[in-house]
Amino acid sequence: MLPDMPMDLFRSEEMQLVQLIIPAEAAHNTIAHLGEIGLLQFRDLNPDKSPFQRTYANQVKRCGEMARKLRYFKDQSVKAGILPSSPAPLDKDFDLDDLEIKLAELEAELLEINANAEKLLRSRNELNELQLVLEKMDAAVHQREFEEASSGREITSDTALLLEQEMVSDPGKQMRLGFVTGLVPKVKAATFERILFRATRGNMYLKQEELDEPVVDPATAEEVEKVVFVVFFAGERARTKIMKICEAFGANRYPFPEDPQKQRQMHSEVIARLSELQTTIDAGNRHRDSLLNNISYQIENWASLVRREKAIYHILNQLSIDVTRKCLLAEAWCPVYAKSEIQDALHRAVTMSKADVGTIFQTIRSGESPPTYFKTNKFTVAFQGIIDAYGMARYREANPGVFTIITFPFLFAVMFGDWGHGILMLLASLWLVKNERKLGSQKLGDIMEMVYGGRYLILLMSIFSIYTGFIYNEFFAVAFDFAIFGGSAYTCRSPDCGDAASAGLVKTGNTYLFGVDPRWKGSRTELPFLNSLKMKMSIVLGVTHMFLGLGLSLCNALFFDLPLNIWYEFIPQVLFLASLFGYLSLLIIVKWVTASQADLYHVMIYMFLNPAEPLGENQLFWGQGTLQIVLLLIALVSVPWMLFPKPLILRAEHMKKRQGRAYAALNSDNELYEMEALHPGEEGHVQQHHHEDEFEFGEVMVHQMIHTIEFVLGAVSNTASYLRLWALSLAHAELSAVFFERVLLPAFESGNIIFIIIGFFVFASATVGVLLLMETLSAFLHALRLHWVEFMNKFYTGDGYKFQPFSFDTITDDEE
């Protein structure tokens, strides 16, 4: 017997709902071990409780507080310019309680260091401003005399008003001028002077000196352009007004002694104190940096531990606690193949916890649809992401992601086909693949992150583009005549091929073995030939793609044992699509093989308008007219075949089951009497018992009608939608030809080296910007639409939900 192995990508992993009965003393270790393997998606058994009412709410709150402290440490490290160091190994015995105590101590120490540093910096900034005041205001203050004794001193005109004001207020007092010095922001200096003048009615003298460089404001710790000022005034009333104005304007006032000797002494003291403060600040910074360096060695480990513990307690809050509080009950989805691995993890957790009893692991039944889980790798994850972006697959239904690995890059290449552009894409994708480890460890931007995630998708897109480019014989709008393919089968009518675009070519050899003959390039029939080729090829590819979708609907019907879907959906749908567009694809292939000149437009139109009309020269094979009539009848019969039988059969089956249940329920009078005794006063209890089996025939019929109309009309619109393969392929080729013939070719024909360089630069820019970026995005989006709408609507439900197991690998800093 084969061992339990994961299913392939075609169907999602088989899931089961399990119940865990965990001893309380082993609960934490059990969830921790299960988070390491990441194979269980827990169900919330306490949906009615708020986060604050749950058992482990306090533990979650503690973890949140520790996470806040760690973020604070990271912010402080960034401000100090300290990069995170390589994490040192964490002690195995180091638990959450020890970490909580340590973080609290470190935070208190760091807060104290920062508070002291802030006080010291404020003092230093104040001393710096005081030093500037002493240096700038020395000459301004001592150019005047402050001793205003009554002994015959000559009073200057500048101080006359001030002295007169002082004498009026207190004639018996000795007349003396006062002054205030400080710094005020430069942007407020003019307003400051104007307000001072108005408040003192002009009885003041203001002297200002601008500083050459901004200074750090002691209050805000920001650099501000300031001016040093001194205000001379007379009287206490003027002093009071000036003090209030200084406070209102945020002006910092500093003492300024009148005695020059005291000024020099104060200046020396300020310089000495600044030196001491700077020494103290440097010592504090070294201590802080040393502390942050020690924290940086362990901060990643601490953050990981806190995230893990918070996630564990978050899961524990989803468990149901037994009334005896001796065990916890958990329910979770897990893959069937992972049963043994989960049991091993449970055994290790119980052993580590030294619990008396082990965890009970059992499978339970559930009417809920299981989650969908596809086990992907770095190659398939991008293709599966394309499918998941449309909708998560229903549990165990066929996964189109398997076929998308080939069909998506191929349909892209049909629209993008140019082996020159494909080589450039290939080089870019190979660089991404080669440096995937380096790029995967870096933080990339949103656009680069998407490109990196789809590197293998781009790799296959480029390989298929090279392949279709060889088929189209397109290399930057240049066709190559490869000798290995036998050479061109056509020659020009004149030696210089001057009439190739007007008179056409003459076939002189065997058919070119692979792809489009290079002689078609630039000929008179190039565009009609390529249009016909690519249009017919688009129809054939589109019909094949839709038949693949119908085939996958058969796989789903067989897997889920739905015979009605096979007989009354799959078969009529295949017959309808084959009788019309499958027949059209057959005519295209026959016309290619036989080189017939039949008009397929005429054949398909008159197949509906006049099926009995002879085909004449448009007949491709014997019996074609009869076959068309038969196919048309099959298409007409397929529509009611899809519409009526399935709803009628479902109604008949429902009536039969309902009648059988009624007979069983009324098997005896005793049973009826017992049911009425058990449910007195409840009429129709039997019908309520089977409420889940209600059947609405009208609803089923309307749904089937919508499904039938959608398929019939969709068969026409979806086939026409695949013509975008032809349109975008033609547009890509024509754009490439315009850039080559109108930009690069004239530059080379000029023979001027400057024109050649400019022309090549413009051509390269247009190629990269338009053809390799815009056209790539356009072809990608159209290929995406062809898969989501034309292909997947034939079979894909996409109403499932993703399997999201509890795993420490998926926890991020933003995890709640």
Side-chain angles (χ1 to χ4, degrees):
M1 182 177 179
L2 293 175
D4 293 337
M5 295 293 290
M7 290 278 298
D8 55 13
L9 199 61
F10 183 62
R11 294 198 185 277
S12 61
E13 301 292 342
E14 188 176 355
M15 308 295 289
Q16 61 183 356
L17 183 62
V18 297
Q19 186 182 66
L20 306 177
I21 303 177
I22 309 171
E25 61 271 19
H28 183 276
N29 287 334
T30 298
I31 300 300
H33 280 74
L34 294 178
E36 291 176 355
I37 61 175
L39 291 172
L40 280 92
Q41 177 178 325
F42 289 90
R43 301 173 67 185
D44 190 359
L45 302 182
N46 304 303
D48 299 331
K49 291 184 178 180
S50 67
F52 304 102
Q53 295 174 330
R54 307 207 175 199
T55 308
Y56 297 94
N58 290 333
Q59 285 81 350
V60 173
K61 185 178 179 181
R62 286 172 57 198
C63 293
E65 180 64 17
M66 285 186 280
R68 181 198 62 79
K69 293 176 182 177
L70 290 171
R71 289 193 298 270
Y72 173 69
F73 294 153
K74 288 183 179 180
D75 293 340
Q76 292 297 312
S77 298
V78 171
K79 290 180 180 178
I82 298 175
L83 300 176
S85 305
S86 300
L90 190 64
D91 188 1
K92 294 183 179 179
D93 298 331
F94 195 75
D95 59 8
L96 195 65
D97 295 332
D98 297 333
L99 179 60
E100 185 176 22
I101 296 172
K102 189 173 184 63
L103 292 182
E105 293 174 352
L106 291 173
E107 184 187 31
E109 184 177 358
L110 193 56
L111 287 173
E112 183 179 359
I113 293 174
N114 288 338
N116 293 334
E118 185 177 353
K119 292 178 182 178
L120 292 173
L121 288 174
R122 183 182 182 92
S123 299
R124 187 191 66 179
N125 295 333
E126 289 176 349
L127 289 175
N128 282 331
E129 289 192 347
L130 177 56
Q131 182 181 12
L132 292 172
V133 170
L134 292 172
E135 293 174 353
K136 293 288 184 180
M137 290 293 102
D138 184 25
V141 173
H142 288 285
Q143 69 183 354
R144 327 183 63 85
E145 288 291 335
F146 289 100
E147 295 295 337
E148 304 294 342
S150 58
S151 60
R153 176 188 175 279
E154 181 181 357
I155 301 176
T156 63
S157 59
D158 290 339
T159 58
L161 289 176
L162 298 178
L163 296 177
E164 181 181 353
Q165 177 68 20
E166 184 71 13
M167 292 173 64
V168 170
S169 61
D170 192 357
K173 187 177 179 181
Q174 183 181 7
M175 293 175 291
R176 185 179 183 85
L177 291 179
F179 64 94
V180 174
T181 58
L183 290 89
V184 69
K186 184 178 179 180
V187 295
K188 300 179 180 180
T191 309
F192 180 67
E193 181 179 4
R194 188 163 54 251
I195 296 298
L196 284 175
F197 184 84
R198 292 177 180 176
T200 60
R201 298 180 181 180
N203 291 299
M204 64 88 191
Y205 174 77
L206 176 66
K207 176 70 175 179
Q208 294 180 343
E209 289 284 342
E210 289 189 12
L211 299 178
D212 298 333
E213 296 179 356
V215 295
V216 180
D217 187 78
T220 63
E222 296 179 354
E223 287 192 349
V224 181
E225 291 187 351
K226 292 188 174 184
V227 296
V228 179
F229 68 89
V230 58
V231 183
F232 296 94
F233 58 88
E236 289 299 322
R237 291 174 58 189
R239 174 187 291 274
T240 303
K241 292 180 180 180
I242 292 171
M243 292 298 184
K244 291 182 178 180
I245 293 172
C246 288
E247 291 178 3
F249 278 83
N252 298 326
R253 295 173 286 106
Y254 296 99
F256 188 88
E258 300 179 13
D259 187 359
Q261 184 177 356
K262 291 183 179 181
Q263 291 176 19
R264 288 191 294 271
Q265 182 180 356
M266 179 179 285
H267 190 266
S268 300
E269 292 176 356
V270 167
I271 294 176
R273 289 184 60 191
L274 279 174
S275 178
E276 293 175 0
L277 278 176
Q278 190 61 46
T279 303
T280 308
I281 290 172
D282 292 341
N285 289 339
R286 287 193 297 271
H287 179 56
R288 183 198 60 192
D289 293 346
S290 176
L291 180 63
L292 292 175
N293 275 320
N294 293 333
I295 292 175
S296 67
Y297 285 111
Q298 292 287 354
I299 192 168
E300 292 299 331
N301 289 328
W302 293 343
S304 176
L305 177 60
V306 170
R307 287 196 299 267
R308 286 166 59 98
E309 292 295 323
K310 187 176 181 181
I312 290 172
Y313 286 117
H314 177 71
I315 295 298
L316 287 173
N317 277 331
Q318 297 180 1
L319 308 188
S320 176
I321 300 180
D322 184 68
V323 290
T324 62
R325 305 186 70 85
K326 292 183 179 180
C327 63
L328 286 79
L329 182 67
E331 292 181 4
W333 291 103
C334 71
V336 173
Y337 75 86
K339 182 177 180 181
S340 60
E341 189 175 354
I342 294 173
Q343 289 177 333
D344 291 341
L346 295 176
H347 179 72
R348 292 195 305 270
V350 171
T351 303
M352 180 179 294
S353 304
K354 299 179 181 180
D356 297 332
V357 294
T359 300
I360 299 176
F361 179 87
Q362 58 186 5
T363 304
I364 59 176
R365 294 180 177 273
S366 174
E368 181 182 349
S369 178
T372 302
Y373 174 44
F374 293 107
K375 195 170 185 179
T376 57
N377 52 38
K378 63 181 181 180
F379 179 80
T380 58
V381 65
F383 299 97
Q384 189 61 44
I386 292 175
I387 305 303
D388 294 345
Y390 176 80
M392 181 56 59
R394 180 181 291 182
Y395 176 65
R396 303 286 284 164
E397 77 170 322
N399 179 24
V402 179
F403 304 93
T404 304
I405 296 175
I406 300 299
T407 59
F408 189 91
F410 178 72
L411 292 183
F412 169 87
V414 171
M415 295 179 278
F416 192 77
D418 187 301
W419 62 278
H421 299 153
I423 289 175
L424 295 180
M425 284 182 59
L426 179 63
L427 294 175
S429 60
L430 288 176
W431 180 82
L432 291 173
V433 171
K434 181 181 178 182
N435 297 279
E436 62 180 12
R437 290 187 179 181
K438 179 181 177 182
L439 295 173
S441 61
Q442 298 177 356
K443 289 186 177 181
L444 308 175
D446 294 337
I447 301 298
M448 191 60 189
E449 188 71 33
M450 288 191 294
V451 174
Y452 169 75
R455 59 194 180 279
Y456 289 102
L457 173 61
I458 299 174
L459 177 65
L460 289 187
M461 286 161 51
S462 62
I463 293 174
F464 278 102
S465 296
I466 294 173
Y467 169 73
T468 55
F470 276 112
I471 291 180
Y472 298 156
N473 206 339
E474 290 279 350
F475 178 83
F476 298 106
V478 177
F480 282 82
D481 190 353
F482 294 101
I484 59 174
F485 299 144
S488 175
Y490 297 89
T491 57
C492 299
R493 298 178 184 272
S494 60
D496 59 353
C497 285
D499 57 351
S502 56
L505 304 170
V506 178
K507 186 174 182 180
T508 58
N510 296 324
T511 303
Y512 199 64
L513 292 180
F514 185 82
V516 176
D517 194 301
R519 288 290 185 178
W520 286 103
K521 193 70 177 178
S523 67
R524 179 173 59 89
T525 54
E526 176 193 7
L527 196 57
F529 170 75
L530 292 179
N531 274 340
S532 175
L533 170 68
K534 293 181 178 181
M535 181 178 64
K536 292 180 173 64
M537 182 180 66
S538 300
I539 293 175
V540 174
L541 292 176
V543 173
T544 304
H545 203 209
M546 289 189 290
F547 270 115
L548 176 60
L550 290 177
L552 292 179
S553 69
L554 174 62
C555 293
N556 282 334
L558 292 173
F559 182 82
F560 293 110
D561 192 19
L562 301 172
L564 292 181
N565 289 7
I566 298 175
W567 291 104
Y568 306 109
E569 285 187 0
F570 170 72
I571 292 178
Q573 286 176 358
V574 169
L575 292 177
F576 182 85
L577 189 62
S579 62
L580 298 181
F581 301 103
Y583 173 64
L584 174 60
S585 301
L586 175 65
L587 294 182
I588 291 173
I589 296 174
V590 171
K591 182 177 179 180
W592 280 345
V593 173
T594 60
S596 172
Q597 299 297 319
D599 185 359
L600 299 186
Y601 295 105
H602 183 276
V603 172
M604 293 302 298
I605 290 174
Y606 281 90
M607 176 180 174
F608 295 94
L609 297 181
N610 191 0
E613 181 183 7
L615 296 174
E617 61 181 8
N618 292 323
Q619 183 168 339
L620 291 170
F621 52 86
W622 180 84
Q624 182 180 353
T626 305
L627 177 62
Q628 288 187 171
I629 296 175
V630 173
L631 292 176
L632 188 58
L633 292 175
I634 291 175
L636 293 176
V637 171
S638 298
V639 177
W641 191 352
M642 282 185 281
L643 178 59
F644 295 110
K646 184 178 177 180
L648 294 175
I649 293 174
L650 289 175
R651 183 177 182 274
E653 290 180 351
H654 173 73
M655 296 298 295
K656 185 177 179 180
K657 290 180 180 178
R658 185 177 180 183
Q659 187 178 14
R661 285 196 300 269
Y663 285 133
L666 302 177
N667 191 24
S668 65
D669 294 339
N670 293 333
E671 293 181 2
L672 180 60
Y673 175 78
E674 292 175 359
M675 293 180 66
E676 291 177 349
L678 290 173
H679 306 279
E682 295 186 9
E683 297 182 359
H685 175 73
V686 178
Q687 288 79 358
Q688 292 180 8
H689 182 70
H690 301 288
H691 177 73
E692 295 181 356
D693 296 333
E694 290 184 357
F695 179 83
E696 293 291 340
F697 176 73
E699 183 179 345
V700 174
M701 191 67 196
V702 170
H703 179 272
Q704 191 67 20
M705 184 183 302
I706 294 173
H707 183 70
T708 302
I709 295 174
E710 182 182 9
F711 179 82
V712 172
L713 297 181
V716 179
S717 63
N718 292 165
T719 305
S721 181
Y722 278 95
L723 292 177
R724 70 185 66 237
L725 299 174
W726 157 48
L728 266 78
S729 174
L730 183 64
H732 185 87
E734 292 301 314
L735 276 174
S736 184
V738 166
F739 293 146
F740 176 76
E741 296 174 0
R742 303 300 181 186
V743 178
L744 188 62
L745 198 59
F748 276 94
E749 290 177 349
S750 68
N752 190 320
I753 187 64
I754 297 178
F755 287 167
I756 293 175
I757 294 175
I758 295 175
F760 181 79
F761 175 77
V762 174
F763 174 76
S765 301
T767 299
V768 173
V770 178
L771 298 176
L772 289 181
L773 294 179
M774 296 177 60
E775 279 288 303
T776 299
L777 180 60
S778 175
F780 181 91
L781 294 176
H782 283 284
L784 195 65
R785 182 245 157 76
L786 291 177
H787 281 78
W788 282 359
V789 179
E790 280 70 28
F791 172 55
M792 291 166 56
N793 70 353
K794 304 293 186 296
F795 68 96
Y796 192 68
T797 307
D799 59 354
Y801 63 101
K802 189 176 182 179
F803 176 60
Q804 296 177 323
F806 168 63
S807 174
F808 293 139
D809 295 336
T810 59
I811 298 175
T812 62
D813 292 333
D814 299 330
E815 192 78 22
E816 293 294 336

